[in-house]
Amino acid sequence: MNRFIAAILLAFATQISYAQTELDGMSLRGLAIYQQLRTDYYVGGLYLPQPAATPDDAFFMPGPKRMDLRVITESWSDRRFTQQWNQLILINNPADVQKAQQDNIIAFATMLKDDLQAGDHITIDLLPDEGTEIKLNGTTLLKSSDPEFFNLLLSCWIGARPPSSGFKQDILSLPGGDRGSSLMTTFEITGPTQTRIAETKSWGKGRSPAAKPKPESKPATPATSSEPSEAERLAAEKARREAAEAEAEKARLAKLEAEKARKEAIARALAEAEAKAKAAARAKELINEYSTTMVRASYQHVRYPKRALKLNQQGTVLLEVIIDRKGSLLSSKVIQSSGYSSLDDAAISAVEKTAPFPELPSGIDGAQIEFTLPFTFQISS
């Protein structure tokens, strides 16, 4: 039925007056679709008194503000709603802000009493001199006197880690062209039915239970039963309910803290891995530079064997050379022969005459280091 109504309204999109783009000194400044795992959950609208060129403009702008969410997915479970918002709150707000807003975050996470449905309308308002108020289909679910709670939620849209870069751009500035028109049409025609409005009225916090008729007064009679009175039973039930709610809030907060700790541990591990990779790359660079220094120094002591010259013997020798941190030669051996023993011996002799080498730089770890040094014997024409 909702789809049928939406199709009819879409046909008359060009006749929409867009009256909802102006609200109590605010104007609709941006529209964006919130999507996760290829599912479109809601179209969000941001109302501000003035245009905002940057996120800071929106955060620090005086006056009323509104975050407007219009649900477009068929069903959005209260558990998934809480998970998605908790994640955005966690990654967009520093720990001290989350701690200061702990009670509001818990209240926000527990305000839904059942799953959301397509057409549900959530408004998050910043009211000057009053604080932050959240409504579902016109029914107040949460009201806080702290205006900073609004900025905590707004950071989930335009903070350092928004749902996406495209979402952040669109929510700060209305998209143009056909895409903007399509978003505006979806935003305008999405709303709850009267039945749904009546259904969600019962979700409001602070709602008083239905009044019960007072029983006719009866003459007092001596107590003859050990069973608890109705008042005692209701008080015990209330105490049990409050204890259960306190435990649920405690568990939810512990989950938030655990998720935060997990994120911090991942960040530390990534930082450590990056530092190790940089250190390893720098050590490799230093080893290559030091190896070049060793070869250049050794070449000054290379003597081409006379017999090898006479016989036109040429080739490249690879030596494995091990030195300690002071540069003293510990060992040298041929790991790839030139094919001529006289050339191999000449390379080893050059290394031995060059030692000791310069001290190893501090960026190279280890008590002793192994180098592979090439020596090329070639008779120029």
Side-chain angles (χ1 to χ4, degrees):
M1 181 64 178
N2 287 341
R3 291 178 179 175
F4 176 68
I5 294 172
I8 295 175
L9 291 173
L10 187 60
F12 293 93
T14 56
Q15 301 178 21
I16 293 175
S17 66
Y18 302 122
Q20 292 298 308
T21 61
E22 301 290 337
L23 289 173
D24 300 328
M26 302 177 289
S27 295
L28 183 62
R29 303 299 177 182
L31 287 173
I33 294 286
Y34 176 81
Q35 183 184 79
Q36 191 177 78
L37 299 178
R38 298 184 180 180
T39 298
D40 292 343
Y41 282 91
Y42 64 83
V43 56
L46 180 60
Y47 289 84
L48 298 171
Q50 301 292 333
T54 67
D56 282 348
D57 290 345
F59 283 124
F60 297 111
M61 185 180 298
K65 303 172 191 176
R66 169 175 287 186
M67 298 169 64
D68 195 315
L69 292 73
R70 306 196 180 192
V71 180
I72 54 177
T73 187
E74 289 295 325
S75 179
W76 191 5
S77 72
D78 56 335
R79 180 180 61 83
R80 185 173 292 276
F81 174 92
T82 300
Q83 287 176 344
Q84 291 172 355
W85 278 93
N86 280 349
Q87 182 181 12
L88 289 170
I89 289 171
L90 183 68
I91 63 179
N92 283 288
N93 293 275
D96 58 333
V97 172
Q98 294 182 53
K99 185 175 182 180
Q101 295 291 335
Q102 174 179 306
D103 292 342
N104 284 326
I105 292 173
I106 292 174
F108 181 78
T110 57
M111 68 180 183
L112 298 183
K113 303 306 179 187
D114 203 344
D115 296 350
L116 295 170
Q117 299 177 8
D120 279 342
H121 184 194
I122 298 174
T123 55
I124 304 172
D125 284 314
L126 175 62
L127 307 173
D129 303 323
E130 293 185 38
T132 304
E133 184 175 30
I134 302 176
K135 293 182 179 181
L136 170 65
N137 299 332
T139 296
T140 299
L141 299 187
L142 189 158
K143 191 165 186 178
S144 168
S145 60
D146 190 347
E148 288 304 314
F149 183 49
F150 180 88
N151 281 340
L152 177 138
L153 296 176
L154 181 58
S155 71
C156 297
W157 279 5
I158 62 173
R161 297 178 180 176
S164 69
S165 57
F167 183 99
K168 183 174 181 177
Q169 179 179 344
D170 289 346
I171 207 68
L172 284 172
S173 179
L174 282 169
D178 293 341
R179 188 167 66 90
S181 298
S182 176
L183 277 174
M184 181 66 79
T185 301
T186 302
F187 185 73
E188 288 285 350
I189 67 176
T190 301
T193 63
Q194 291 301 316
T195 301
R196 180 61 174 169
I197 292 173
E199 179 184 343
T200 52
K201 275 188 178 180
S202 64
W203 295 15
K205 286 185 176 290
R207 187 176 62 89
S208 301
K212 295 182 179 180
K214 292 184 178 180
E216 295 181 3
S217 58
K218 295 181 180 180
T221 56
T224 58
S225 173
S226 60
E227 293 183 1
S229 66
E230 180 68 8
E232 290 173 334
R233 187 186 68 77
L234 290 174
E237 179 63 27
K238 180 181 178 182
R240 283 195 296 270
R241 186 169 61 252
E242 289 177 348
E245 289 176 353
E247 284 298 317
E249 291 181 358
K250 183 179 178 182
R252 193 178 296 277
L253 183 58
K255 185 177 179 180
L256 285 173
E257 290 295 330
E259 181 65 14
K260 175 187 173 184
R262 186 182 73 84
K263 296 278 187 182
E264 290 175 348
I266 292 174
R268 285 195 301 271
L270 289 174
E272 291 173 2
E274 184 178 0
K276 287 180 180 178
K278 287 182 178 179
R282 178 55 182 159
K284 184 177 180 181
E285 182 181 343
L286 289 172
I287 288 174
N288 290 338
E289 292 174 356
Y290 191 87
S291 175
T292 300
T293 299
M294 293 176 69
V295 170
R296 287 176 177 171
S298 299
Y299 271 18
Q300 297 178 15
H301 296 92
V302 172
R303 298 294 179 267
Y304 211 118
K306 292 180 180 180
R307 181 173 176 79
L309 282 170
K310 184 177 180 180
L311 297 176
N312 198 31
Q313 294 176 345
Q314 304 180 77
T316 297
V317 185
L318 290 183
L319 298 185
E320 177 189 273
V321 178
I322 301 176
I323 62 173
D324 61 19
R325 297 204 64 81
K326 295 293 185 181
S328 299
L329 181 63
L330 300 180
S331 69
S332 62
K333 65 178 181 180
V334 176
I335 58 174
Q336 179 179 308
S337 174
S338 65
Y340 304 101
S341 60
S342 61
L343 299 182
D344 297 348
D345 293 342
I348 291 176
S349 176
V351 169
E352 291 174 345
K353 289 178 180 179
T354 307
F357 295 94
E359 290 189 11
L360 288 172
S362 60
I364 300 177
D365 295 330
Q368 58 185 44
I369 304 296
E370 177 184 306
F371 295 89
T372 299
L373 305 183
F375 289 84
T376 299
F377 293 87
Q378 185 174 8
I379 301 173
S380 60
S381 56

